[in-house]
Amino acid sequence: MKYLNRRQFVSRSSSLAATVAVPTLAGIGCTEAKMDEADLSAKESIHAQAKKGGLQFGAAILASQLKNDRAFREAVIRECGVLTHENELKWATLQNRENQEYNFSKADYIVDFAEEHNMAVRGHTLVWHLGYPKYLDQTVNPKSGRDIMVAHIEELSKHYAGRMHSWDVVNEAIDIKYEREDGLAETLWFKAMGEEYLDIAFETAHKADPKALMVYNENGLVYGRERHDKKRKAVLDLLKRRLSNNIPLDALGIQSHLSIGQHPFERDKFVGFLNDVADLGLRIYITELDVRDTHGPADIATRDQLVADEYKRFMEIIVDHPAVDMIVTWGLSDKYTWINEWAPRLDGLPARPLPLDHKMRRKKGWDVIVESLEARQKNDL
Ligand code: G3I
């Protein structure tokens, strides 16, 4: 499968943010020596560096963070060319009682903000087995499930038709804990419609918004344990089966929630998987990148270095793969990360998983992301 090169594909896939004129480091005499604060300002932003190489970079955020935190808002405007709603487009955030009118106000704020700042928007997510209103547990069944799911997809897709770069149409359909041969998660949607719920979801979303790119989003695909091997195979097999039905599917979203000291990283396995996905004719988006430091040392300098090392190992592969078009981190600043709620450190210290610290200062993780993007640009894929 001959890959489109990045520049050919990027012009096809979305209206990118306006070109950002960025002074090259060489142009202002920066050396390889350690950057001090002044030098770092010469590196315009992750988004600007990514854009120079035909990649899009952004982050998942909450409307409240943009509205209420000026420093964070300015950091988002500087560093991002793409925004994803962390929670505002989840069903339970839009509606929590049956027949209640959807409240799009928070989600609209993010889409309006993105358009005002010439950023693309990724819709997350149309069909998932979490983040939905609990009344669905009583109402979704084999007789009603299709109509309920279709109505929800149409409600969101039509509301934003023409404004979304892409939708995570289905999120996390595979979960090997169900020990099924096909690896499918036995969710309320699967129980109601079988595996075909994916086809129905993609076809409904594409019909409601033909301009948006259609993405299947999944976690647990990066590392080298047996369970990651099984998940990569199950995802590839699922994609092949659905694509054989000619569903409108443009890209695989690889969430990429990394962690320090937890799992072996086997480069060949991951690169081989990226190649297999690309051979299906799909593009690849990194959709939820962060590095969990829950089990890392307390010392900040040591922990930040370990997080940066994990970003570097991952980014060196990503920036060099011609099928990858986008990198989105799950949050931008340590001030706002899901990890403090979902995987808190035993010592109670705040997590430091993201490129900016809680005061929006660039960390070593920021450095290695930008440096890997610079290296990619030199390779000019
Ligand atoms: O807004 C309500 C609030 O009104 C209520 O008082 C409070 C207590 O129950 O809950 C609040 O909602 C929480 C929501 O985040 C907003 O903070 C939910 O309980 C909580 O479950 C939800 O967690 C989110 C989680 O997805 C589940 O939707 C995380 O913030 C979010 O980072 C996480 O993101 C997921 C992606 O969508 C899919 N991939 C994995 C990723 C990380 O788990």
Side-chain angles (χ1 to χ4, degrees):
M1 170 80 185
K2 178 82 188 81
Y3 303 136
L4 285 175
N5 74 33
R6 190 186 313 286
R7 294 180 199 285
Q8 286 168 329
F9 180 77
V10 154
S11 61
R12 181 174 74 86
S13 69
S14 69
S15 54
L16 294 172
T19 304
V20 179
V22 180
T24 61
L25 294 182
I28 51 175
C30 282
T31 66
E32 290 307 306
K34 175 157 176 30
M35 300 279 184
D36 64 30
E37 200 56 37
D39 287 335
L40 274 183
S41 63
K43 293 192 174 192
E44 187 76 12
S45 71
I46 303 178
H47 158 56
Q49 189 59 52
K51 189 140 190 68
K52 286 163 66 177
L55 269 168
Q56 291 177 280
F57 174 82
I61 44 83
L62 292 177
S64 58
Q65 297 161 358
L66 289 179
K67 272 183 187 167
N68 306 329
D69 187 332
R70 182 161 176 266
F72 180 72
R73 185 171 60 249
E74 288 173 353
V76 167
I77 293 167
R78 182 185 71 236
E79 302 288 351
C80 296
V82 184
L83 294 185
T84 300
H85 301 68
E86 181 175 1
N87 291 315
E88 287 90 339
L89 275 177
K90 290 172 185 172
W91 199 330
T93 310
L94 294 167
Q95 182 208 50
N96 49 42
R97 288 189 315 280
E98 190 171 8
N99 302 321
Q100 181 189 33
E101 196 170 322
Y102 283 55
N103 178 350
F104 286 105
S105 58
K106 293 178 183 174
D108 287 350
Y109 182 89
I110 291 173
V111 177
D112 295 344
F113 180 92
E115 289 178 341
E116 182 189 340
H117 296 285
N118 204 11
M119 298 174 183
V121 184
R122 298 211 61 248
H124 176 80
T125 177
L126 294 172
V127 178
W128 193 24
H129 55 276
L130 293 176
Y132 65 82
K134 288 307 160 209
Y135 78 83
L136 293 180
D137 289 328
Q138 279 70 49
T139 57
V140 172
N141 58 53
K143 190 169 177 304
S144 66
R146 179 190 182 119
D147 291 348
I148 290 172
M149 185 183 79
V150 165
H152 176 69
I153 293 170
E154 289 180 342
E155 183 79 28
L156 274 66
S157 299
K158 288 178 178 175
H159 183 82
Y160 292 112
R163 302 175 71 188
M164 284 294 178
H165 167 276
S166 53
W167 275 104
D168 288 341
V169 176
V170 173
N171 189 45
E172 302 173 11
I174 298 288
D175 189 335
I176 57 174
K177 78 180 179 190
Y178 291 90
E179 295 183 339
R180 291 176 53 91
E181 185 66 30
D182 56 19
L184 281 166
E186 295 178 349
T187 67
L188 72 168
W189 306 116
F190 176 80
K191 289 175 190 167
M193 293 169 265
E195 183 174 325
E196 201 208 350
Y197 84 90
L198 285 117
D199 298 13
I200 297 163
F202 279 92
E203 280 152 10
T204 303
H206 177 63
K207 188 175 174 208
D209 184 2
K211 278 190 72 178
L213 293 165
M214 301 280 105
V215 182
Y216 171 69
N217 196 45
E218 189 58 84
N219 62 24
L221 299 172
V222 175
Y223 287 114
R225 290 191 188 285
E226 187 186 355
R227 69 171 184 267
H228 303 116
D229 298 341
K230 285 183 179 175
K231 192 153 192 180
R232 282 189 285 265
K233 181 179 183 318
V235 166
L236 271 179
D237 291 346
L238 174 68
L239 294 173
K240 288 173 187 170
R241 290 196 302 276
R242 301 337 316 156
L243 285 168
S244 69
N245 280 359
N246 298 314
I247 65 167
L249 171 59
D250 298 291
L252 171 66
I254 300 179
Q255 290 184 13
S256 312
H257 289 292
L258 309 181
S259 55
I260 55 177
Q262 293 304 292
H263 306 300
F265 186 76
E266 298 192 35
R267 177 190 176 85
D268 292 350
K269 283 185 179 181
F270 185 52
V271 173
F273 175 68
L274 297 179
N275 293 341
D276 291 343
V277 172
D279 285 346
L280 296 176
L282 297 177
R283 305 305 293 178
I284 294 166
Y285 300 163
I286 304 306
T287 53
E288 305 186 13
L289 177 60
D290 54 15
V291 179
R292 205 175 309 177
D293 61 348
T294 305
H295 302 287
D299 175 70
I300 285 179
T302 309
R303 190 154 34 113
D304 280 1
Q305 186 59 58
L306 290 170
V307 167
D309 294 345
E310 202 73 14
Y311 272 122
K312 183 175 169 63
R313 209 181 347 251
F314 179 79
M315 285 296 295
E316 283 173 346
I317 293 171
I318 290 305
V319 295
D320 269 348
H321 200 284
V324 172
D325 296 308
M326 177 180 289
I327 301 163
V328 174
T329 48
W330 204 247
L332 180 64
S333 158
D334 297 338
K335 183 174 180 181
Y336 305 113
T337 171
W338 65 289
I339 292 171
N340 285 324
E341 179 190 348
W342 288 77
R345 290 175 55 88
L346 291 177
D347 59 14
L349 290 174
R352 294 176 64 87
L354 290 164
L356 303 184
D357 73 6
H358 63 297
K359 291 187 176 176
M360 311 308 145
R361 293 172 301 201
R362 294 164 169 178
K363 294 159 60 188
K364 285 187 180 296
W366 188 96
D367 296 347
V368 298
I369 289 171
V370 169
E371 284 153 14
S372 60
L373 290 165
E374 287 171 332
R376 193 219 90 72
Q377 202 221 342
K378 291 188 187 100
N379 299 344
D380 192 23
L381 274 179

